Short mmCIF file of all heavy atoms in Angstrom, two decimals:
data_model
loop_
_atom_site.label_atom_id
_atom_site.label_comp_id
_atom_site.label_asym_id
_atom_site.label_seq_id
_atom_site.Cartn_x
_atom_site.Cartn_y
_atom_site.Cartn_z
N ARG A 1 109.29 54.71 131.20
CA ARG A 1 110.19 53.95 130.23
C ARG A 1 109.51 52.99 129.33
O ARG A 1 109.86 52.85 128.16
CB ARG A 1 111.29 53.29 131.08
CG ARG A 1 112.22 54.21 131.74
CD ARG A 1 113.23 53.46 132.60
NE ARG A 1 112.59 52.69 133.63
CZ ARG A 1 113.19 51.76 134.28
NH1 ARG A 1 114.45 51.44 134.03
NH2 ARG A 1 112.60 51.13 135.28
N TYR A 2 108.45 52.25 129.87
CA TYR A 2 107.83 51.30 128.98
C TYR A 2 106.39 51.70 128.74
O TYR A 2 105.56 50.90 128.24
CB TYR A 2 107.88 49.93 129.74
CG TYR A 2 109.23 49.40 129.78
CD1 TYR A 2 110.03 49.59 130.96
CD2 TYR A 2 109.91 48.83 128.71
CE1 TYR A 2 111.38 49.20 131.05
CE2 TYR A 2 111.25 48.41 128.83
CZ TYR A 2 111.91 48.59 129.97
OH TYR A 2 113.24 48.22 130.01
N GLY A 3 106.05 52.97 129.01
CA GLY A 3 104.75 53.48 128.60
C GLY A 3 103.54 53.27 129.49
O GLY A 3 102.42 53.63 129.21
N GLY A 4 103.88 52.67 130.69
CA GLY A 4 102.78 52.31 131.57
C GLY A 4 102.20 53.43 132.35
O GLY A 4 101.13 53.44 132.93
N ILE A 5 103.05 54.50 132.44
CA ILE A 5 102.61 55.71 133.22
C ILE A 5 102.71 56.98 132.30
O ILE A 5 103.72 57.16 131.60
CB ILE A 5 103.54 55.90 134.45
CG1 ILE A 5 103.48 54.72 135.40
CG2 ILE A 5 103.16 57.21 135.18
CD1 ILE A 5 104.48 54.74 136.51
N THR A 6 101.69 57.74 132.28
CA THR A 6 101.66 58.99 131.54
C THR A 6 101.08 60.10 132.38
O THR A 6 100.26 59.90 133.31
CB THR A 6 100.81 58.86 130.26
OG1 THR A 6 99.48 58.51 130.57
CG2 THR A 6 101.41 57.82 129.29
N TYR A 7 101.61 61.28 132.09
CA TYR A 7 101.09 62.47 132.77
C TYR A 7 100.78 63.54 131.73
O TYR A 7 101.56 63.58 130.66
CB TYR A 7 102.14 63.04 133.73
CG TYR A 7 102.31 62.21 135.01
CD1 TYR A 7 103.32 61.26 135.09
CD2 TYR A 7 101.47 62.35 136.08
CE1 TYR A 7 103.47 60.45 136.23
CE2 TYR A 7 101.58 61.61 137.21
CZ TYR A 7 102.60 60.65 137.29
OH TYR A 7 102.69 59.87 138.41
N TYR A 8 99.89 64.40 131.98
CA TYR A 8 99.55 65.53 131.06
C TYR A 8 99.39 66.82 131.86
O TYR A 8 98.85 66.84 132.94
CB TYR A 8 98.24 65.19 130.35
CG TYR A 8 98.38 64.03 129.40
CD1 TYR A 8 98.03 62.73 129.83
CD2 TYR A 8 98.86 64.16 128.12
CE1 TYR A 8 98.14 61.64 129.03
CE2 TYR A 8 99.01 63.11 127.24
CZ TYR A 8 98.66 61.85 127.67
OH TYR A 8 98.80 60.73 126.89
N GLY A 9 99.79 67.91 131.23
CA GLY A 9 99.48 69.21 131.78
C GLY A 9 97.98 69.50 131.70
O GLY A 9 97.30 68.96 130.80
N ASP A 10 97.52 70.30 132.61
CA ASP A 10 96.09 70.53 132.68
C ASP A 10 95.51 71.15 131.37
O ASP A 10 94.37 70.85 130.92
CB ASP A 10 95.73 71.46 133.82
CG ASP A 10 95.88 70.79 135.19
OD1 ASP A 10 95.86 69.58 135.24
OD2 ASP A 10 96.01 71.52 136.18
N SER A 11 96.36 71.95 130.72
CA SER A 11 95.87 72.65 129.49
C SER A 11 95.76 71.70 128.32
O SER A 11 95.17 72.15 127.31
CB SER A 11 96.83 73.82 129.19
OG SER A 11 98.16 73.33 128.91
N VAL A 12 96.36 70.52 128.37
CA VAL A 12 96.30 69.62 127.19
C VAL A 12 95.53 68.32 127.45
O VAL A 12 95.36 67.59 126.55
CB VAL A 12 97.72 69.32 126.71
CG1 VAL A 12 98.49 70.61 126.45
CG2 VAL A 12 98.41 68.38 127.63
N LYS A 13 95.09 68.13 128.73
CA LYS A 13 94.43 66.86 128.98
C LYS A 13 93.16 66.75 128.08
O LYS A 13 92.41 67.67 127.97
CB LYS A 13 93.98 66.87 130.47
CG LYS A 13 95.09 66.51 131.43
CD LYS A 13 94.61 66.59 132.85
CE LYS A 13 95.75 66.22 133.84
NZ LYS A 13 95.28 66.38 135.24
N GLY A 14 92.97 65.51 127.61
CA GLY A 14 91.87 65.21 126.78
C GLY A 14 92.07 65.61 125.33
O GLY A 14 91.25 65.22 124.48
N ARG A 15 93.13 66.37 124.98
CA ARG A 15 93.42 66.71 123.64
C ARG A 15 94.70 66.14 123.11
O ARG A 15 94.79 65.85 121.86
CB ARG A 15 93.50 68.27 123.53
CG ARG A 15 92.23 69.02 123.96
CD ARG A 15 92.34 70.43 123.65
NE ARG A 15 93.46 71.10 124.36
CZ ARG A 15 94.44 71.76 123.76
NH1 ARG A 15 94.49 71.89 122.45
NH2 ARG A 15 95.40 72.38 124.49
N PHE A 16 95.68 65.94 123.93
CA PHE A 16 96.97 65.40 123.56
C PHE A 16 97.14 63.99 124.09
O PHE A 16 96.66 63.61 125.17
CB PHE A 16 98.12 66.30 124.13
CG PHE A 16 98.17 67.67 123.49
CD1 PHE A 16 97.22 68.18 122.65
CD2 PHE A 16 99.34 68.42 123.77
CE1 PHE A 16 97.37 69.44 122.15
CE2 PHE A 16 99.45 69.71 123.24
CZ PHE A 16 98.48 70.25 122.46
N THR A 17 97.91 63.20 123.32
CA THR A 17 98.22 61.85 123.71
C THR A 17 99.75 61.56 123.44
O THR A 17 100.17 61.77 122.35
CB THR A 17 97.40 60.81 122.97
OG1 THR A 17 96.02 61.05 123.17
CG2 THR A 17 97.69 59.37 123.49
N ILE A 18 100.42 61.10 124.55
CA ILE A 18 101.79 60.73 124.37
C ILE A 18 101.89 59.22 124.28
O ILE A 18 101.16 58.49 124.81
CB ILE A 18 102.62 61.24 125.60
CG1 ILE A 18 104.14 61.15 125.30
CG2 ILE A 18 102.26 60.50 126.85
CD1 ILE A 18 104.95 61.89 126.37
N SER A 19 102.88 58.79 123.44
CA SER A 19 103.10 57.38 123.30
C SER A 19 104.51 57.19 122.93
O SER A 19 105.27 58.15 122.57
CB SER A 19 102.20 56.73 122.18
OG SER A 19 102.45 57.35 120.91
N ARG A 20 105.04 55.96 122.94
CA ARG A 20 106.42 55.65 122.61
C ARG A 20 106.53 54.35 121.95
O ARG A 20 105.71 53.39 122.26
CB ARG A 20 107.34 55.80 123.84
CG ARG A 20 107.11 54.74 124.90
CD ARG A 20 107.96 55.10 126.11
NE ARG A 20 109.41 55.07 125.86
CZ ARG A 20 110.29 55.66 126.73
NH1 ARG A 20 109.86 56.24 127.83
NH2 ARG A 20 111.55 55.62 126.39
N ASP A 21 107.51 54.20 121.11
CA ASP A 21 107.86 52.94 120.46
C ASP A 21 109.30 52.72 120.71
O ASP A 21 110.17 53.27 120.01
CB ASP A 21 107.51 53.01 118.93
CG ASP A 21 107.76 51.72 118.29
OD1 ASP A 21 108.51 50.87 118.73
OD2 ASP A 21 107.23 51.51 117.13
N ASN A 22 109.65 51.91 121.69
CA ASN A 22 111.04 51.69 122.09
C ASN A 22 111.82 50.96 120.93
O ASN A 22 113.03 51.15 120.84
CB ASN A 22 111.14 50.95 123.40
CG ASN A 22 110.79 51.86 124.55
OD1 ASN A 22 110.78 53.09 124.48
ND2 ASN A 22 110.42 51.23 125.67
N ALA A 23 111.12 50.16 120.22
CA ALA A 23 111.81 49.49 119.11
C ALA A 23 112.37 50.54 118.10
O ALA A 23 113.37 50.27 117.44
CB ALA A 23 110.89 48.50 118.45
N LYS A 24 111.67 51.61 117.99
CA LYS A 24 112.06 52.66 117.05
C LYS A 24 112.72 53.84 117.77
O LYS A 24 113.06 54.85 117.14
CB LYS A 24 110.82 53.19 116.26
CG LYS A 24 110.18 52.18 115.39
CD LYS A 24 109.02 52.78 114.63
CE LYS A 24 108.43 51.79 113.70
NZ LYS A 24 107.28 52.33 112.91
N SER A 25 112.89 53.73 119.10
CA SER A 25 113.50 54.80 119.90
C SER A 25 112.85 56.13 119.63
O SER A 25 113.53 57.18 119.48
CB SER A 25 115.01 54.88 119.60
OG SER A 25 115.63 53.67 119.92
N THR A 26 111.56 56.16 119.62
CA THR A 26 110.78 57.35 119.24
C THR A 26 109.62 57.51 120.20
O THR A 26 108.96 56.56 120.59
CB THR A 26 110.27 57.32 117.76
OG1 THR A 26 111.37 57.09 116.86
CG2 THR A 26 109.52 58.52 117.38
N VAL A 27 109.38 58.77 120.55
CA VAL A 27 108.28 59.18 121.30
C VAL A 27 107.42 60.14 120.47
O VAL A 27 107.89 60.94 119.69
CB VAL A 27 108.71 59.96 122.61
CG1 VAL A 27 107.55 60.47 123.40
CG2 VAL A 27 109.59 59.02 123.46
N TYR A 28 106.11 60.00 120.66
CA TYR A 28 105.16 60.72 119.88
C TYR A 28 104.28 61.62 120.79
O TYR A 28 103.98 61.26 121.91
CB TYR A 28 104.26 59.82 119.01
CG TYR A 28 105.04 58.90 118.17
CD1 TYR A 28 105.29 57.52 118.56
CD2 TYR A 28 105.53 59.26 116.94
CE1 TYR A 28 105.98 56.66 117.81
CE2 TYR A 28 106.23 58.41 116.11
CZ TYR A 28 106.44 57.11 116.58
OH TYR A 28 107.16 56.20 115.76
N LEU A 29 103.84 62.73 120.20
CA LEU A 29 102.83 63.54 120.83
C LEU A 29 101.72 63.86 119.78
O LEU A 29 101.93 64.62 118.90
CB LEU A 29 103.41 64.84 121.39
CG LEU A 29 102.41 65.65 122.17
CD1 LEU A 29 102.06 65.00 123.49
CD2 LEU A 29 102.98 67.04 122.47
N GLN A 30 100.58 63.19 119.98
CA GLN A 30 99.46 63.40 119.08
C GLN A 30 98.65 64.56 119.65
O GLN A 30 98.20 64.47 120.84
CB GLN A 30 98.63 62.18 118.91
CG GLN A 30 97.39 62.32 118.04
CD GLN A 30 97.78 62.53 116.59
OE1 GLN A 30 98.52 61.72 115.97
NE2 GLN A 30 97.32 63.63 116.02
N MET A 31 98.43 65.61 118.85
CA MET A 31 97.71 66.73 119.37
C MET A 31 96.45 66.98 118.58
O MET A 31 96.53 67.07 117.30
CB MET A 31 98.68 68.03 119.25
CG MET A 31 100.01 67.79 119.92
SD MET A 31 101.07 69.26 119.96
CE MET A 31 101.37 69.47 118.18
N HIS A 32 95.34 67.16 119.23
CA HIS A 32 94.06 67.38 118.57
C HIS A 32 93.50 68.67 119.05
O HIS A 32 93.88 69.24 120.14
CB HIS A 32 93.10 66.32 118.80
CG HIS A 32 93.51 64.98 118.25
ND1 HIS A 32 93.62 64.78 116.84
CD2 HIS A 32 93.81 63.74 118.78
CE1 HIS A 32 93.98 63.50 116.58
NE2 HIS A 32 94.11 62.85 117.76
N SER A 33 92.50 69.20 118.38
CA SER A 33 91.68 70.40 118.82
C SER A 33 92.68 71.51 119.19
O SER A 33 92.51 72.16 120.25
CB SER A 33 90.83 70.02 119.97
OG SER A 33 89.97 69.02 119.62
N LEU A 34 93.61 71.78 118.39
CA LEU A 34 94.68 72.84 118.63
C LEU A 34 94.01 74.18 118.67
O LEU A 34 93.11 74.49 117.89
CB LEU A 34 95.72 72.70 117.66
CG LEU A 34 96.66 71.51 117.81
CD1 LEU A 34 97.53 71.27 116.61
CD2 LEU A 34 97.57 71.68 119.03
#
């Protein structure tokens, strides 16, 4: 809820990053090395 805990699937670890901005009610998924 406040971003302190994150989990990733094995296939995306090290390439994807999840984050959230509760002030904007938005969650992001940054994806690299697709």
Side-chain angles (χ1 to χ4, degrees):
R1 292 178 298 165
Y2 296 97
I5 299 171
T6 58
Y7 289 97
Y8 295 93
D10 288 342
S11 62
V12 307
K13 280 180 183 176
R15 301 187 298 122
F16 291 11
T17 302
I18 192 170
S19 61
R20 67 189 297 165
D21 184 340
N22 286 340
K24 296 182 179 180
S25 298
T26 302
V27 175
Y28 305 97
L29 185 69
Q30 180 67 55
M31 306 186 294
H32 295 297
S33 303
L34 288 162

